[in-house]
Amino acid sequence: MRQKFILLMYVFLASAMTSAIAQTFSSDKVYTIVCKPDFNTFMQDKGTGGLLLGNEVSGSLWTFVPTGNADCYYVKNVKTGNYIQACPDSEVPVDMGTTPVEYYIKGDADGGQAGENFYRMTSTNRTPNNFSAGTIGLNRKGDNTCIQGFASVSGANQWSVWRILEVPSAKKTSLTSPYTGTTVQEGSVYLYNVESGMWLQNNDRYNSELTLQFWTTRGQLGDRGLDFTLIAQPDGGYQIGPRYTKNNSMNGDGFYFDTNKDVTSWQFTPKEVEGVTNAYTIESEFAKLGADVNNYLRAIDLGATTWQIVTREERLQYAQNNASVTNPVDVTFLVNNPDLSNNNERNNWVVTRDGGNEQWNDFNRFNRHCQVQGSSSVNISQTGIVVPNGTYQVRFTGFYAPTGLGALNATDLNTYKTDGDAAVFAVGYANGETIKLPSVYSLEATESVANVHQKKVGDFFFPGNPDQANGSLGHRLYQTELLTVTVTDGTLTLGVKSIEGCPTSAWIGLSEVKLYYLGQADADMTLTVEVTDAGYATFVAPMEAAVPDGVTAYTAEVNANGKTLDLTSINPIPANTPVLLEAAAGSYTFTGDEVPAVVNPTFGALVGTYSRIPAPHGSYVLQKHGEKAGFYYVDSSDAVPYVNANRAYLAAPSSGVKAFFFGDEATGIQSIDNGQETTEGAIYNLAGQRLSKIQKGINIVGEKKVMVK
């Protein structure tokens, strides 16, 4: 289906100022200091005697101790306890030492580098030290290895401007983990960060805080995890082997997987944590693995440094014990190289094509995709993936274009608008199940965005070359709906391919697959519903369920008058069909075979939910107020009630109706207002007594129950 979206661009405007920006740093908080042109380059102290620059390491945290003079501080490193020494002359490296040295830190107001959190720094022993002409301040040396003194306000010298940001703690007051974990030992394992609930893996995430994005070959936290090989080292630590090319080691200085640096030895130290078994901290010479408040991997201790070592077997057991249609478990870790990252020795993706060109693009660094153009027969696949038998759902990130991206045109756009998926000749597939890939024309950007959508066709913008395609796919703008497949032989084949009718001009690409486990195929589901003394309850389930004895199930429709409901009895209850139940107070069990759940399952006027949610404003929720049970209107000015999992609420135009009551007399349905004679048959109350007209409460009219407010 064609969708429209607007890409919002946030522009930060800095106002010109004529005086210094006042700032206050606290000695009981910690900060990072990075050079303005490159937010990946951290000011650091490794205990070597010099003030260095480089990747974030444990020595990248700083405190600012007020000296009593305005905007003046001692700048102290958290790890080493050393202070930045006096700012030296031009192009002379800056030292670290044990003696506190006062620094004047000025919010940058001139020199063309003004902005929030940007500062210039110089020691107060220099003359001048107020950042007037001739002031020497801290400056990034040209080789990006250390800090030197340099003319700080010479033109728009951005190399002397520093972004100073407070780093909040990610520590949590209590911890739990769904895993038991194991003791540290050699072998293939997954590393689970308890505070964030995420796994150590290769990078596939965009981080808006960075000037330059990290490559897919760098360590990061994510929701799938990478199977690392732990290899014992002579010093008692372990090599964390990611099975990427070159040194097969996650570096302590930079977290990259594919460099020729010396192997990093990581120390796994047992950690006593209430509620977590087999907990460890993981630390190397330069970095302590942890998470920040945004669940990004950090090399500094921000309080989220609790790790567990989890085996593949335990992850599989967790999935098999917990997965269901309403609780899919992410098992993407079972797919080799699911994000197509480069230099990954697990790359089992095979490309077959009948001519044309094949290209692997990683322009966006954190994303990589495979594309084929010029072939009428394309297949990008991974076979023989070993998985437990059961039901799975797969989502593909990729798209189909009928032409090369530079040749996108209005004719093909209009064809897609007319024909929809019929104009797409490529599918994602899992074993024998298929789903159409999104068309490049399915997302109509209203603005040009660099490296995402820049090819204008009519009034809209689309990816106009492979780099822009990489940007779009990296931000996951082109994803299929979930494809359901049942595995019965323990193996799965995934991929994207062309189908009959595909032109040789087509562009077909794949960036990522996600795999979710839903449990055993045709598994029985059992749900128990409690009916209170109100005599009614709502119910929805991802299964076809027979109605138990003593219970009557109804679908509900709002009548055209907006004031009554039509209740129609139903048995069995189809899957994903919300209903109203009528029964004496008690517990009632529904059983059936699970099927995939749908989002917001709806039938008639009832909308179901598979998780506990606040009732939407303007809906009606089944409640009992005093002696009156019914669907009551949800007003945003009142305390909002909740709708529990496997229950439903009524979505109906209010028309001034505050509630649809159940009672001893009647309720409402059909085009019959309270007090109006019916021409559709005799009317009875629940006691079987014939009525002359519709009454408040539940009426029996013909074969239907009628509820009137």
Side-chain angles (χ1 to χ4, degrees):
M1 177 178 293
R2 179 168 52 92
Q3 304 174 49
K4 293 184 179 179
F5 73 104
I6 299 175
L7 295 174
L8 300 179
M9 302 183 68
Y10 297 91
V11 180
F12 297 93
L13 301 177
S15 301
M17 293 171 287
T18 58
S19 61
I21 303 172
Q23 73 282 325
T24 301
F25 300 113
S26 174
S27 59
D28 60 358
K29 295 180 180 179
V30 295
Y31 303 83
T32 55
I33 308 173
V34 299
C35 191
K36 185 177 188 291
D38 184 359
F39 293 167
N40 300 357
T41 302
F42 291 80
M43 193 179 288
Q44 58 183 229
D45 180 17
K46 292 185 176 180
T48 60
L51 179 57
L52 306 179
L53 274 176
N55 296 307
E56 182 182 70
V57 294
S58 295
S60 297
L61 286 180
W62 302 86
T63 60
F64 293 82
V65 182
T67 67
N69 296 319
D71 299 332
C72 291
Y73 302 87
Y74 304 126
V75 186
K76 183 179 182 180
N77 187 269
V78 173
K79 179 178 174 64
T80 66
N82 293 328
Y83 296 88
I84 299 179
Q85 298 301 285
C87 181
D89 292 336
S90 182
E91 300 189 59
V92 176
V94 182
D95 291 329
M96 296 293 298
T98 58
T99 302
V101 174
E102 185 179 64
Y103 264 77
Y104 172 51
I105 302 177
K106 176 190 178 185
D108 191 50
D110 46 33
Q113 300 298 322
E116 186 179 6
N117 300 319
F118 293 127
Y119 303 90
R120 296 179 187 270
M121 305 172 64
T122 193
S123 55
T124 56
N125 66 318
R126 294 202 63 89
T127 302
N129 58 26
N130 60 355
F131 295 100
S132 59
T135 301
I136 299 294
L138 299 188
N139 174 271
R140 166 182 163 173
K141 189 177 178 181
D143 62 3
N144 200 28
T145 60
C146 67
I147 315 297
Q148 63 181 3
F150 201 77
S152 183
V153 291
S154 176
N157 189 353
Q158 60 180 342
W159 308 107
S160 295
V161 179
W162 304 93
R163 187 179 73 157
I164 303 176
L165 287 182
E166 179 190 346
V167 185
S169 172
K171 186 176 182 179
K172 295 186 176 179
T173 55
S174 62
L175 293 176
T176 59
S177 172
Y179 302 101
T180 301
T182 185
T183 56
V184 62
Q185 56 192 289
E186 289 193 310
S188 179
V189 298
Y190 298 86
L191 299 176
Y192 179 73
N193 181 260
V194 179
E195 285 88 354
S196 68
M198 302 182 78
W199 302 91
L200 184 63
Q201 62 177 59
N202 64 294
N203 180 49
D204 63 0
R205 297 173 66 188
Y206 171 73
N207 186 342
S208 60
E209 284 294 301
L210 301 179
T211 306
L212 190 64
Q213 300 302 313
F214 292 129
W215 293 97
T216 61
T217 56
R218 182 188 187 268
Q220 186 52 273
L221 293 176
D223 53 11
R224 52 181 168 82
L226 190 68
D227 54 320
F228 291 93
T229 302
L230 298 186
I231 304 170
Q233 299 298 294
D235 65 355
Y238 288 84
Q239 173 182 340
I240 298 178
R243 291 171 54 200
Y244 277 61
T245 57
K246 299 182 181 177
N247 72 347
N248 185 35
S249 172
M250 185 175 81
N251 295 334
D253 189 355
F255 293 157
Y256 275 100
F257 296 166
D258 58 344
T259 73
N260 287 320
K261 294 183 178 181
D262 292 340
V263 168
T264 295
S265 179
W266 295 90
Q267 301 293 324
F268 286 71
T269 304
K271 182 178 182 181
E272 291 294 328
V273 179
E274 184 178 356
V276 181
T277 58
N278 294 311
Y280 289 87
T281 58
I282 305 176
E283 189 170 9
S284 72
E285 178 184 5
F286 297 125
K288 189 169 187 178
L289 291 186
D292 64 18
V293 294
N294 296 314
N295 294 336
Y296 283 102
L297 184 66
R298 301 297 293 265
I300 50 183
D301 187 351
L302 302 177
T305 56
T306 307
W307 294 86
Q308 285 180 301
I309 303 163
V310 183
T311 64
R312 176 187 175 93
E313 291 71 25
E314 186 178 1
R315 290 196 72 178
L316 285 173
Q317 191 64 58
Y318 173 83
Q320 291 174 307
N321 290 345
N322 293 276
S324 68
V325 172
T326 57
N327 183 46
V329 175
D330 190 334
V331 291
T332 307
F333 70 92
L334 296 174
V335 182
N336 284 308
N337 199 15
D339 65 334
L340 282 66
S341 65
N342 52 321
N343 294 343
N344 189 340
E345 294 177 354
R346 301 171 187 76
N347 187 26
N348 288 6
W349 294 100
V350 176
V351 181
T352 58
R353 53 190 171 87
D354 182 12
N357 300 307
E358 171 189 333
Q359 179 179 346
W360 295 76
N361 184 291
D362 56 3
F363 175 81
N364 246 26
R365 291 177 175 252
F366 65 92
N367 179 63
R368 187 170 184 252
H369 76 268
C370 177
Q371 63 192 40
V372 177
Q373 187 189 358
S375 174
S376 60
S377 178
V378 179
N379 191 358
I380 306 170
S381 65
Q382 185 173 148
T383 62
I385 304 168
V386 178
V387 298
N389 288 337
T391 302
Y392 292 83
Q393 288 183 323
V394 188
R395 189 188 303 279
F396 300 90
T397 301
F399 65 72
Y400 166 87
T403 64
L405 300 182
L408 299 183
N409 58 82
T411 299
D412 287 338
L413 172 60
N414 291 331
T415 298
Y416 176 74
K417 288 184 175 182
T418 301
D419 298 340
D421 283 351
V424 175
F425 294 93
V427 296
Y429 66 94
N431 288 355
E433 305 296 331
T434 64
I435 189 169
K436 287 288 184 78
L437 287 183
S439 167
V440 67
Y441 295 115
S442 62
L443 295 177
E444 297 176 330
T446 57
E447 297 180 16
S448 175
V449 177
N451 302 322
V452 177
H453 285 79
Q454 290 180 269
K455 172 70 175 180
K456 189 172 186 180
V457 180
D459 295 328
F460 303 105
F461 295 87
F462 304 95
N465 59 41
D467 290 346
Q468 293 167 33
N470 189 255
S472 296
L473 296 171
H475 290 282
R476 295 174 172 86
L477 295 181
Y478 290 95
Q479 294 187 327
T480 65
E481 297 296 323
L482 289 167
L483 173 66
T484 302
V485 60
T486 298
V487 175
T488 58
D489 64 355
T491 60
L492 184 63
T493 293
L494 300 174
V496 299
K497 63 182 179 180
S498 58
I499 60 175
E500 185 176 356
C502 183
T504 57
S505 60
W507 185 105
I508 297 172
L510 173 66
S511 173
E512 179 188 53
V513 297
K514 296 288 289 183
L515 183 65
Y516 302 93
Y517 184 57
L518 279 65
Q520 291 293 319
D522 301 323
D524 285 339
M525 172 180 261
T526 300
L527 290 173
T528 300
V529 178
E530 298 290 336
V531 178
T532 68
D533 60 2
Y536 296 93
T538 57
F539 175 71
V540 65
M543 63 176 174
E544 180 175 305
V547 179
D549 291 342
V551 180
T552 305
Y554 302 97
T555 59
E557 303 267 4
V558 177
N559 192 273
N561 62 19
K563 298 182 179 181
T564 57
L565 295 176
D566 291 339
L567 305 179
T568 303
S569 62
I570 186 172
N571 189 10
I573 304 169
N576 297 307
T577 302
V579 294
L580 173 69
L581 304 178
E582 180 185 8
S587 298
Y588 299 90
T589 299
F590 295 77
T591 60
D593 291 337
E594 254 187 313
V595 301
V598 300
V599 179
N600 299 326
T602 303
F603 191 90
L606 291 173
V607 180
T609 178
Y610 292 129
S611 61
R612 187 172 186 265
I613 62 169
H617 171 60
S619 65
Y620 293 81
V621 175
L622 184 61
Q623 295 176 306
K624 184 178 181 182
H625 289 179
E627 296 300 316
K628 285 193 173 293
F631 285 100
Y632 285 81
Y633 184 72
V634 177
D635 191 327
S636 60
S637 62
D638 299 330
V640 176
Y642 275 77
V643 182
N644 289 325
N646 297 105
R647 300 296 185 263
Y649 60 87
L650 187 69
S654 68
S655 302
V657 175
K658 294 300 181 183
F660 293 92
F661 289 122
F662 302 103
D664 294 333
E665 297 171 339
T667 28
I669 286 192
Q670 298 188 352
S671 55
I672 306 171
D673 291 328
N674 188 22
Q676 177 183 353
E677 296 286 346
T678 178
T679 58
E680 297 188 21
I683 306 170
Y684 298 87
N685 63 20
L686 292 179
Q689 299 168 320
R690 185 162 181 168
L691 306 174
S692 61
K693 60 183 179 180
I694 290 289
Q695 303 288 328
K696 244 188 180 182
I698 297 179
N699 302 256
I700 299 175
V701 183
E703 296 181 353
K704 292 185 176 181
K705 286 195 174 184
V706 176
M707 181 178 74
V708 177
K709 67 163 188 173

